[in-house]
Amino acid sequence: MIVCHIRYELDPFKRDAFETYAKAWLTLIPACGGALIGYFLPHEGTNYEAHAMIGFETLAAYENYRACLRNDPQCVANFEFAQREKFILKEERTFLKQVTA
């Protein structure tokens, strides 16, 4: 399995908006072929960094997933919500290989 790890830098005063955004993906990510491992908000320490992890069988499966996100009206609406509310300041993706379960 390949895991897409997304590191977000958030506006710390808009964490509730990010939580709404993350919860919207609970059904949308699996519908587009991703295995949602989870979204994570800060609990202690840094107040502006959040994470998401989504699993895929292959990088080709990830590319199919991305195409689905771009074409699904609910996914597009969630992306537009994030852009409109500006709670995500920065986003980084890293692809990891799972070696233990």
Side-chain angles (χ1 to χ4, degrees):
M1 176 179 280
I2 295 169
V3 175
C4 176
H5 171 257
I6 308 169
R7 180 187 168 277
Y8 298 95
E9 285 187 19
L10 306 177
D11 179 335
F13 299 103
K14 296 183 177 182
R15 288 174 38 165
D16 289 344
F18 181 82
E19 187 170 351
T20 299
Y21 171 81
K23 286 180 177 179
W25 292 119
L26 288 173
T27 57
L28 299 174
I29 287 173
C32 283
L36 181 61
I37 296 166
Y39 273 82
F40 305 89
L41 275 168
H43 178 68
E44 293 281 336
T46 303
N47 68 349
Y48 65 88
E49 189 173 296
H51 300 269
M53 299 182 88
I54 307 164
F56 301 93
E57 289 299 318
T58 63
L59 283 176
Y62 171 75
E63 292 302 328
N64 291 337
Y65 159 83
R66 295 289 293 173
C68 179
L69 294 181
R70 286 189 295 274
N71 294 310
D72 182 279
Q74 291 178 301
C75 295
V76 171
N78 205 32
F79 284 128
E80 288 173 350
F81 167 66
Q83 290 176 337
R84 185 175 58 254
E85 298 300 319
K86 299 182 185 332
F87 50 84
I88 298 172
L89 306 176
K90 185 176 178 182
E91 189 175 313
E92 300 170 351
R93 280 183 175 70
T94 303
F95 292 87
L96 307 167
K97 178 181 174 182
Q98 186 173 0
V99 294
T100 63

